[in-house]
Amino acid sequence: MPAVKRRGAVIGSVIVLILMANSGLASADDDFGNGSQKPGKPPVSGGADGKGNISATAGAVVFDRSKNGSGKSAGPVTSSAANWTPPACYYAPRYTPEQLEKYLTPIWEAGSTGYEWDAEQRKKFEGGEPYKDFNKDKDGEGYFWDSYVTEGREGDPGALDCTHDIFWVDNGDAPPPEIDNAITPEMLAQLAYAEIRVPGTEVTLAPEGTTKVNLPTWAWLDAADFKPVSVTASVPLLQVQATTTAEPISLKIEPGTADATTYPASGVCELNGKQIGEAYAKGKSDQTPPCGVKYLRSSGDGTYKLQATVTWKISWTGTGVNQPQDLPPGEFGADQDVIVEEIQSVNR
């Protein structure tokens, strides 16, 4: 049986979009993972440059990742705000009148959803309560909207929050006020947040790899690797978009042992111009590093796991919003091994 909504309940809506490389409306089958295919297809606009820079989710939202972080060590940021995540579902345009007819008619004819529900749906979309003949007289003047599950969030409880049945919205009009998760520039910004990828955070250390007890170790990040990154999310059918940008602002160092002193004492090294920390230079061995660590005990036969975490300031601009608006900061970090040896002395 095709996956459908019954009386406001979302039943099995996991959709895989096959993006067409050319602009315009893409077309593909939707596999619901239950051995059946969903008839019809949502209107989706998108494009690609052959390098994966522009792609679409399973829905009407298109992402431009051409200015995102890349490389094997790149990864998603984790919001530093407790319990904050981008929406797990949202409403956006999906069907023209003809597409909705092609989607619903085979379901009704199969009779597998029950006479009562089918009759109710026929009245709603064919019988004028409120849509007559699938709103074909308004073809080109708007779209039927439906719910989408955010890619990668199919198993989240929040994916079942979008329980409204399919509804019509005229071009240029706002969705009905009772639709809480209707797509907006701010929601697009939140969806783009989840697509942000930032570089790995392996810091440069001096001495490198092996250091000595009570010897300050300098730490810094290569400014060229830590520049702002951004992702743009858009709904071409609505001509709305939002760009979410992440900028590095600080580095937190956790030595991997309580027997250590960090510089500064908080372990948080702020962005200084275009650099976090300061590169070690010859002649600075007797100076205190602006960013670094001093180990007070040997790591013995093992290593300490130094954790370096970069905090990224995240903001967005978009349709009708020219001044950057803040989103919760994000964090991304990694561990690296540090060997700490005792300073050897020779007794004569």
Side-chain angles (χ1 to χ4, degrees):
M1 179 184 83
V4 296
K5 293 180 184 176
R6 180 193 293 271
R7 300 180 184 277
V10 179
I11 304 176
S13 59
V14 179
I15 306 171
V16 177
L17 171 70
I18 301 176
L19 176 68
M20 305 298 287
N22 59 306
S23 298
L25 298 184
S27 178
D29 289 334
D30 291 336
D31 184 358
F32 280 72
N34 60 1
S36 63
Q37 298 292 320
K38 174 183 175 183
K41 178 64 191 173
V44 177
S45 177
D49 66 357
K51 299 179 181 179
N53 286 335
I54 299 179
S55 61
T57 65
V61 177
V62 176
F63 292 114
D64 180 351
R65 302 181 179 89
S66 59
K67 297 181 181 178
N68 206 7
S70 60
K72 292 182 179 179
S73 63
V77 294
T78 300
S79 169
S80 59
N83 301 322
W84 186 90
T85 57
C89 69
Y90 57 90
Y91 296 95
R94 175 166 274 172
Y95 303 104
T96 64
E98 182 181 0
Q99 287 169 331
L100 184 60
E101 182 181 32
K102 287 181 179 180
Y103 167 44
L104 288 178
T105 301
I107 297 175
W108 298 339
E109 291 177 350
S112 56
T113 50
Y115 172 80
E116 183 180 349
W117 186 84
D118 291 347
E120 184 179 301
Q121 291 285 293
R122 285 182 182 276
K123 277 198 301 183
K124 179 173 183 178
F125 294 107
E126 281 188 323
E129 297 183 21
Y131 310 114
K132 185 176 181 180
D133 193 22
F134 296 95
N135 252 14
K136 288 180 182 176
D137 62 331
K138 301 189 73 174
D139 190 24
E141 299 177 17
Y143 290 95
F144 282 103
W145 288 40
D146 200 0
S147 64
Y148 294 85
V149 175
T150 304
E151 187 177 19
R153 304 286 298 282
E154 291 84 359
D156 288 13
L160 301 179
D161 287 346
C162 297
T163 59
H164 290 283
D165 202 359
I166 298 167
F167 56 92
W168 177 269
V169 178
D170 285 333
N171 294 333
D173 285 359
E178 67 270 17
I179 308 297
D180 294 333
N181 281 28
I183 202 73
T184 62
E186 182 174 6
M187 188 175 293
L188 286 172
Q190 294 174 5
L191 294 173
Y193 186 117
E195 299 298 316
I196 289 286
R197 298 294 181 266
V198 296
T201 51
E202 183 172 357
V203 297
T204 304
L205 301 174
E208 182 181 359
T210 301
T211 188
K212 305 294 184 182
V213 171
N214 292 322
L215 176 67
T217 299
W218 292 58
W220 68 95
L221 291 172
D222 187 343
D225 293 334
F226 285 83
K227 56 187 178 183
V229 299
S230 65
V231 172
T232 297
S234 63
V235 180
L237 288 175
L238 300 179
Q239 296 184 334
V240 295
Q241 60 83 30
T243 298
T244 299
T245 301
E247 303 175 78
I249 55 175
S250 66
L251 166 69
K252 183 177 182 180
I253 292 178
E254 297 174 273
T257 174
D259 295 317
T261 299
T262 56
Y263 305 104
S266 64
V268 177
C269 308
E270 303 292 342
L271 179 68
N272 181 17
K274 295 184 178 181
Q275 191 171 35
I276 298 179
E278 181 181 329
Y280 176 78
K282 188 176 180 180
K284 293 184 177 181
S285 59
D286 60 345
Q287 298 180 21
T288 299
C291 182
V293 60
K294 179 172 69 176
Y295 288 96
L296 307 178
R297 183 171 301 199
S298 166
S299 59
D301 295 330
T303 61
Y304 291 127
K305 291 284 187 182
L306 181 145
Q307 185 175 58
T309 302
V310 173
T311 296
W312 296 76
K313 178 182 178 181
I314 301 182
S315 60
W316 70 278
T317 57
T319 303
V321 180
N322 297 321
Q323 295 301 315
Q325 304 295 306
D326 288 339
L327 289 169
E331 298 178 343
F332 185 64
D335 294 338
Q336 57 195 90
D337 293 329
V338 178
I339 300 172
V340 182
E341 298 177 341
E342 296 282 358
I343 297 176
Q344 302 296 318
S345 60
V346 178
N347 295 322
R348 293 179 182 273

